[in-house]
């Protein structure tokens, strides 16, 4: 299929939307969270209800990706009014349809956040939960059917790819990404444009693009929701990257724990190939690019890029020392670009709106928006996207609805087992790469776990250390033995059997493991320990027996 | 071969391009502690003993895997590096059951030498005392997991030089173990050629020939590099 | 002394109809050793675990050294060398579930069925395992019972569901 054929399809789809064939669009959230709360049943019942009432000509019911507040699910969103109903039960669907669609009087008690707001908002966009957010990577999640490429096309899908292929040279694409000042969303925050440029500069007949979807942090599900809610966005980002760096083959490495994400991404690849936006001679040009899905087999360390490469090669996922970096010698020894799911999801908006537009969002050193997965003792756990530089207080209290059960905020853990905690006195910290690092935590991939006064910080450190110990690949000594030693010492202190000497040993080991480990897993494994020691040292001291 | 100038431990040197920091140091008589490195085998940077400080790079890099570059200023014996080498040495000893006095490698063991070199007078960390098997099923050789330090020199010697791929590593984290075939007893391996390269590659008393007693072990790890050189001559 | 156990097991495996699925996958992947993990996924899905005979079959088909296959299988937590029981109960111990009491659920299961994670009952009826995070953090604590996700469960509820399953 060439460019004209695709345009024809897009015009036809857009015309269909504009002709306003449907007066109402009912979106049922079918993200993994809502599915487990029974949203598929709700979807079926809702479709039946619409048919029973003979409304199928003016009401369209679709399944969408994640809408955000996962623990309020199942969710139904009524468009164009933007009214969202929460915790929908099959038994109240009849009533919801009657009141919302026929009588036009929404049932306030069932609206989103009705149980915690004094007056819920009929237009959910007015709610601080959504008002404080800014959706770029998640833009179409929750609005479109992720299993239909046409839905994506109507919402400017593959427009950026078209622009890149017909109006821009690879150098110009890289310049645009550099201008956006976007930084890798996988955790380390390496400038994306610079990474692309490095891969572009290596001359090789074969280069690869890899999408890192091995989201292994416990408590993080950003990549999952993007892959499930808008797989085409990621695929488009990968294709643009491939064009820019000169790759012809790509791999999407997705966790085995995410069967729905795998299914939808594979479907997206199939649809994209059929429409000629992926595969040989994309949109009739000379450029060809193919993507394959690789399923992770349960190893956190495979999020580290050299380990991920080993895993795609069918081996043990053990990292190797860098340099050489994958940009020079990656998959099968060829130059390889590895970016995170969320990074790829941010590419097409940058191309469509320009690098300058993106760089104006956020803070001077961290541009754009960041997706966070809120979990723990917070009222509205789920997925949010905010501009960089939003304060932790805004995230926890304005968006997250505060602490569950009226408890007191004690700390938030960012960056999962590689990150650290932020105590209450730093609630006004601006969430960007530098500020979090200066507090001894990291941005990480976006997991944000809120803890209240009942959380025992020594035990939290022990929990994350146990995780790192189990996930250590066992190749280098500091990580293999060091994490085990630190775990045993932490356990001893938790059981109030530790001495002051144990605490000293623990601190010495933590610094040693951080500096000597071969890869990022080992180097960051002591972070939760070091940051709880920094902010909650008295909790350790209190456990020490003299 | 073109030369570049570098500074190692305050000594200015003109050295060949394309070599690793470790190779350059060995040629220049600068001692660097190693354990997983063995001349002739691919370097993996796993033991972290050869970490060096390089000016302008904010993390320590392993000398065995890092290529030398022009104008590098390298330090190999700072207080920090010595301290870390001692901890590494202690962790090696605490990880498995190393009892030198009853070990066949006593006096000939690289791990024991490492202990002396890092001035390790005692071990400050609790011993893990894992349960480890001793595999005596092979007619000529013994594999004693108690003495294994997971340097994987046997794995690489078997795969890269002999081409038999009898050895590999199973599990992960502190539970890693060297295995033959499907964790099959060594004597029942279908891939082992009984060539004995792993015996010479092993730096400790983990793999040794039967019928020797404590302290009698003679190993020739240099045999691996010699073999590779001789093969080149045949070609 | 050395018997070629590899080929006898491979013959055994050929009588199993599920081996066809694996063969098809191997062919689709062009017998590439790089596809080992993909093929192991197919095998694990078909058998629920990786029996030794199947591993030997794959090893032979891909012409890989046995130690390479075994080292890969034991590295990844997804792959299991033991049967996990007729009914499986997977308790998520991700951070959100941990904060909301996954441990209480595990304790209750241990109390009721005398099973620790990774164990199977003597009659092979029930196997209990833990997942690091199934990504359903908003629904914590979550338990997957025979592929169904049970969200925000209490220890008591999940024990009842398990009893209902194993009674059948």
């Amino acid at each position: 299929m060439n460019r004209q054929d695709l345009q024809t399809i897009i015009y036809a789809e857009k015309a269909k939307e504009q002709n306003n064939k449907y007066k109402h669009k009912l979106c049922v959230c079918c993200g993994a969270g809502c599915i487990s709360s029974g949203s598929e049943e709700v979807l079926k019942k809702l479709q039946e209800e619409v048919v029973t009432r003979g409304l199928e000509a003016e009401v369209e019911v679709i399944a969408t990706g994640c809408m955000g507040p996962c623990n309020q699910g199942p969710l139904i969103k009524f468009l164009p009014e933007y009214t969202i109903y929460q915790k929908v039960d099959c038994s109240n669907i009849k009533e919801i349809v009657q009141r919302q669609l026929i009588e036009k009087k929404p049932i306030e008690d069932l609206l989103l956040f009705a149980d915690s707001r004094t007056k819920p908002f009929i237009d959910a966009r007015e709610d601080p939960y959504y008002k404080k957010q800014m959706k770029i990577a998640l833009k179409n999640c929750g609005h479109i059917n992720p299993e239909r490429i046409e839905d994506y096309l109507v919402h400017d899908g593959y427009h950026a790819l078209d622009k890149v292929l017909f109006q821009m040279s690879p150098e110009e694409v890289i310049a645009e990404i550099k201008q956006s000042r976007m930084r890798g969303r996988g955790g380390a925050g390496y400038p994306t444009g610079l990474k692309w440029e490095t891969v572009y500069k290596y001359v090789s007949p074969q280069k690869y693009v890899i999408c890192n979807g091995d989201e292994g942090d416990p408590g993080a599900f950003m990549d999952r929701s993007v892959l499930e809610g808008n797989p085409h966005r990621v695929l488009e980002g990968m294709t643009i990257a491939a064009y820019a760096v000169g790759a012809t083959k790509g791999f999407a490495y997705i966790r085995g724990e995410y069967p729905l994400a795998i299914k939808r991404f594979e479907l997206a690849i199939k649809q994209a190939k059929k429409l000629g936006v992926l595969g040989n001679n994309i949109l009739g040009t000379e450029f060809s690019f193919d993507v394959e899905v690789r399923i992770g087999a349960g190893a956190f360390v495979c999020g580290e890029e050299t380990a991920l490469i080993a895993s795609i090669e069918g081996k043990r996922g053990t990292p190797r020392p860098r340099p050489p970096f994958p940009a020079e010698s990656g998959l099968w020894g060829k130059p390889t670009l590895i970016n995170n799911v969320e990074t790829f999801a941010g590419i097409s908006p940058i191309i469509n709106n320009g690098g300058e537009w993106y760089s104006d969002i956020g803070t001077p050193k961290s541009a754009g928006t960041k997706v966070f997965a809120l979990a723990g003792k917070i009222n509205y756990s789920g997925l949010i996207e905010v501009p960089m530089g939003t304060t932790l207080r805004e995230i926890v209290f304005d968006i997250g609805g505060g602490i569950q059960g009226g408890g007191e905020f004690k700390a938030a853990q960012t960056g999962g087992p590689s990150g650290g905690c932020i105590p209450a006195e730093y609630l006004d910290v601006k969430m960007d790469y530098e500020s979090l690092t200066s507090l001894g935590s990291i941005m990480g991939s976006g997991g944000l776990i809120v803890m209240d006064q009942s959380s025992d910080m020594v035990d939290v450190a022990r929990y994350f250390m146990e995780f790192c110990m189990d996930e250590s690949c066992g190749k280098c000594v500091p990580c293999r033995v060091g994490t085990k030693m630190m775990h045993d010492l932490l356990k001893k202190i938790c059981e109030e059997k530790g001495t002051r000497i144990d605490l000293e040993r623990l601190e010495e080991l933590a610094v040693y493991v951080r500096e000597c480990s071969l890869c990022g897993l080992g180097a960051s494994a002591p972070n939760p320990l070091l940051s709880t020691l920094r902010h909650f040292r008295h909790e350790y001291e209190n456990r020490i027996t003299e | 071969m073109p030369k570049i100038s570098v500074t190692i431990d305050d000594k200015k040197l003109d050295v060949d391009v394309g070599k690793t920091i470790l190779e350059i140091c060995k040629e220049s008589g600068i001692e660097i502690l190693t354990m997983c490195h063995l001349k002739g085998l691919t370097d993996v940077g796993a033991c972290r003993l050869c970490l060096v400080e390089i000016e302008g790079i904010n993390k320590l890099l392993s000398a065995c895997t890092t290529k030398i570059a022009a104008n590098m200023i390298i330090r190999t014996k700072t207080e920090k590096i010595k301290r870390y080498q001692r901890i590494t040495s202690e962790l090696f000893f605490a990880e498995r059951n190393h009892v030198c006095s009853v070990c066949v490698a006593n006096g000939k063991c690289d791990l024991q030498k490492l202990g002396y070199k890092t001035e390790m007078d005692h071990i400050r960390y609790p011993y893990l005392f894992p349960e480890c098997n001793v595999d005596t099923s092979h007619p000529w050789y013994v594999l004693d997991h108690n003495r294994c330090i997971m340097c994987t020199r046997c794995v690489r010697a078997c795969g890269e030089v002999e081409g038999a791929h009898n050895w590999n590593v199973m599990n992960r984290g502190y539970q890693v173990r060297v295995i033959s075939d499907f964790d099959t007893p060594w004597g029942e391996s279908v891939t082992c050629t009984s060539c004995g390269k792993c015996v010479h590659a092993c730096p400790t008393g983990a793999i040794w020939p039967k019928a020797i007693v404590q302290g009698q072990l003679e190993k020739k790890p240099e045999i691996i590099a010699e073999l590779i050189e001789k093969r080149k001559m045949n070609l | 002394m050395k018997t070629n156990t590899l080929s006898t097991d491979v013959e055994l495996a050929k009588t199993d109809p599920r081996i066809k699925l694996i063969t098809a996958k191997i062919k689709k992947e062009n017998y590439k050793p790089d596809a080992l993990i993909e093929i192991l996924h197919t095998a694990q899905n078909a058998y629920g675990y990786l029996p030794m005979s199947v591993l030997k079959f794959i090893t032979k088909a891909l012409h890989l050294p046995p130690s390479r296959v075994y080292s890969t299988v034991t590295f990844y937590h997804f792959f299991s060398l033991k049967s996990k029981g007729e009914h499986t109960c997977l308790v998520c111990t991700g951070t959100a579930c941990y904060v909301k009491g996954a441990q209480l659920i595990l304790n209750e299961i241990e109390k009721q069925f005398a099973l620790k994670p990774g164990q199977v009952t003597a009659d092979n009826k029930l196997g209990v395992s833990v997942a690091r995070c199934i990504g359903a953090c908003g629904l914590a604590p979550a338990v997957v019972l025979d592929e169904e996700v049970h969200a925000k469960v209490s220890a008591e509820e999940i024990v009842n569901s398990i009893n209902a399953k194993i009674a059948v």
Side-chain angles (χ1 to χ4, degrees), chain B residues 2 4 7 18 36 42 56 68 75 77 99 105-106 117-118 159 161 164 174-175 180 185 207 217 230-231:
Chain B
I4 48 170
T7 310
C36 64
T42 312
I68 199 116
R75 286 194 183 80
K77 290 179 188 62
V99 189
N106 192 4
K117 281 187 180 157
T118 55
V161 187
Y174 66 95
Q175 288 163 328
S180 65
I207 305 181
L217 184 63
K230 281 181 186 156
R231 284 184 189 171

Side-chain angles (χ1 to χ4, degrees), chain A residues 33 39 123 140 165 213 219 296 338 378 439 469-470 472 522 528 537:
Chain A
S39 70
D123 182 341
N140 300 323
L165 288 181
I338 303 186
I378 190 163
L439 287 180
M469 175 182 83
D470 285 347
S472 166
R537 196 179 184 92

Side-chain angles (χ1 to χ4, degrees), chain A residues 432-459:
Chain A
D432 62 31
Y433 291 98
E434 274 72 24
S435 313
L436 291 179
T437 310
S438 74
L439 287 180
S441 185
I442 60 164
M443 174 72 79
S445 54
L448 201 153
I449 294 138
V450 175
M451 289 174 270
D452 67 4
Q453 72 281 7
S454 70
S455 299
D456 167 357
M457 301 315 281
V458 186
D459 194 54

Side-chain angles (χ1 to χ4, degrees), chain A residues 33 36-37 71 218-219 221 224 255-257 294-299 301-302 311-317 332 375-377 381 404 449 459 463 467 470-471 473, chain C residues 29 32-38 41 68 70-72 74-79 93-96 98-100 131-139 149-152:
Chain A
S36 345
S37 307
N71 67 337
F221 47 98
R224 170 185 201 158
R255 279 185 92 190
E257 286 86 342
R294 280 281 178 264
I295 302 166
V301 69
C302 288
S311 186
I312 292 182
E313 292 172 355
K315 299 179 191 146
R316 287 168 69 83
W332 293 298
K377 300 281 174 75
S381 54
Q404 223 173 37
I449 294 138
D459 194 54
Y463 167 80
F467 179 87
D470 285 347
E471 296 296 334
C473 79
Chain C
E29 298 284 352
K32 277 185 307 203
D34 297 332
L36 174 63
I37 294 174
E38 304 302 301
H41 271 298
R68 158 92 196 282
Y70 202 78
S71 73
T72 308
T74 53
F75 183 84
Y76 295 100
H77 280 183
F78 227 72
F79 301 131
T93 56
T95 314
Y98 157 79
V99 171
K100 291 203 176 165
R132 268 301 171 190
C133 180
I134 60 167
C137 305
L139 307 159
V149 180
H150 291 242
K152 299 182 193 170

Side-chain angles (χ1 to χ4, degrees), chain A residues 265-331:
Chain A
F265 201 79
E266 279 177 338
L267 185 68
I269 292 175
K270 214 182 271 176
Q271 293 170 339
K273 276 190 184 165
K274 207 171 157 197
L275 282 195
V277 289
L278 189 72
N280 286 333
N281 301 93
I282 293 175
L283 295 177
T285 63
E286 290 291 296
F287 174 61
S288 300
F289 180 62
D290 192 17
V291 177
E292 256 181 67
V293 172
R294 280 281 178 264
I295 302 166
F300 174 67
V301 69
C302 288
E304 203 278 343
E305 51 186 26
T306 56
L308 190 146
I309 287 171
S311 186
I312 292 182
E313 292 172 355
K315 299 179 191 146
R316 287 168 69 83
T318 51
R320 59 157 180 80
R322 299 177 303 178
F325 287 88
E328 181 187 350
S329 172
L331 193 58

Side-chain angles (χ1 to χ4, degrees), chain A residues 233-247:
Chain A
R233 179 66 98 63
V234 181
L235 198 54
E236 187 181 8
M238 285 179 76
T239 314
I240 293 170
Y243 173 77
V245 303

